[in-house]
């Protein structure tokens, strides 16, 4: 099983890096796990709607270059479907059962994901209606992927 997170921007905060590294280490026994960063598009603080669309499209092209045809793609989007941790684990297990051994999660930049990325996604997933920094979302997602594996394996981590 190969699990990849494709995300926009570099992670600078040491505390996020340390948390993600811990879950990456734990995940090694269950799957091949990697995080792929694509550059964020530099833009001024206040953007017109057309400029926002252009930034999302450029970042979206960079994301799509990192996704292969055979990958099953989860796009993280506030409009996506919320899942419980148990349901998320069940979904990953079903994907494995039906031969989907390459799973990719996509986290957009501060403006979100382009329509092209959302169309490429097999499903959209939401972690609630809160707006979270995309750097924090990497940590939350990595932990939830680890939690899903502990649920699949019947380990006591998930309580």
């Amino acid at each position: 099983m190969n699990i990849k997170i494709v995300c926009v921007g570099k992670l600078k905060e040491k505390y996020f890096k340390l948390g993600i590294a811990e879950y990456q280490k734990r995940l090694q026994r269950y799957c091949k796990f990697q995080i792929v960063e694509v550059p964020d598009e530099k833009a001024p603080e206040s953007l017109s709607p057309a400029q926002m669309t252009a930034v999302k499209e450029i970042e979206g092209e960079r994301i799509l270059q990192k996704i292969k045809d055979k990958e099953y793609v989860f796009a993280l989007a506030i409009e996506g479907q919320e899942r419980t941790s148990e349901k998320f684990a069940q979904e990953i297990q079903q994907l494995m059962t039906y031969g989907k051994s390459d799973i990719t999660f996509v986290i957009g930049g501060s403006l979100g994901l382009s329509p092209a990325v959302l169309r490429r996604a097999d499903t959209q997933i939401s972690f609630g209606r809160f707006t979270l920094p995309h750097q924090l979302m990497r940590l939350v997602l990595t932990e939830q992927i680890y939690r899903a594996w502990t649920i699949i394996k019947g380990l006591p981590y998930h309580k």
Side-chain angles (χ1 to χ4, degrees):
M1 165 72 51
N2 298 305
I3 296 181
K4 174 171 63 178
I5 297 175
V6 177
C7 45
V8 174
K10 288 226 175 280
L11 192 59
K12 297 173 188 86
E13 296 84 354
K14 185 177 180 182
Y15 50 94
F16 288 141
K17 288 181 180 181
L18 290 171
I20 290 167
E22 175 61 29
Y23 290 112
Q24 281 182 296
K25 184 175 76 174
R26 293 179 188 192
L27 278 164
Q28 287 176 354
R29 68 188 85 138
Y30 306 118
C31 64
K32 181 180 174 204
F33 180 81
Q34 65 173 325
I35 295 177
V36 176
E37 295 177 337
V38 300
D40 55 343
E41 184 62 16
K42 302 298 179 223
E45 265 315 295
S46 57
L47 298 171
S48 71
Q51 289 171 312
M52 285 184 189
T53 298
V55 167
K56 287 197 296 188
E57 285 177 1
I58 292 166
E59 291 176 348
E61 289 170 15
R62 292 174 183 159
I63 289 167
L64 291 170
Q65 289 173 359
K66 303 297 180 183
I67 300 172
K68 295 180 179 80
D69 289 342
K70 67 178 181 167
E71 294 173 4
Y72 187 92
V73 177
F74 285 85
L76 275 68
I78 204 161
E79 310 82 24
Q81 181 184 2
E82 292 182 42
R83 294 152 168 88
T84 64
S85 295
E86 295 87 353
K87 181 75 176 153
F88 182 55
Q90 181 183 33
E91 195 169 357
I92 289 174
Q93 190 168 28
Q94 284 179 328
L95 288 169
M96 289 187 304
T97 300
Y98 294 106
K100 299 285 185 184
S101 60
D102 295 298
I103 299 173
T104 297
F105 295 88
V106 179
I107 302 173
S110 58
L111 298 176
L113 293 168
S114 71
V117 172
L118 294 173
R119 281 192 303 274
R120 169 57 183 91
D122 294 286
T123 189
Q124 292 181 29
I125 186 170
S126 173
F127 283 77
R129 299 293 175 219
F130 286 114
T131 300
L132 298 172
H134 52 280
Q135 300 92 335
L136 175 59
M137 201 60 239
R138 284 193 214 184
L139 175 59
V140 171
L141 176 59
T142 305
E143 189 279 337
Q144 283 298 302
I145 292 168
Y146 173 71
R147 182 177 297 273
W149 278 104
T150 64
I151 292 169
I152 291 166
K153 300 291 184 184
L155 300 173
Y157 176 83
H158 176 68
K159 295 177 183 149

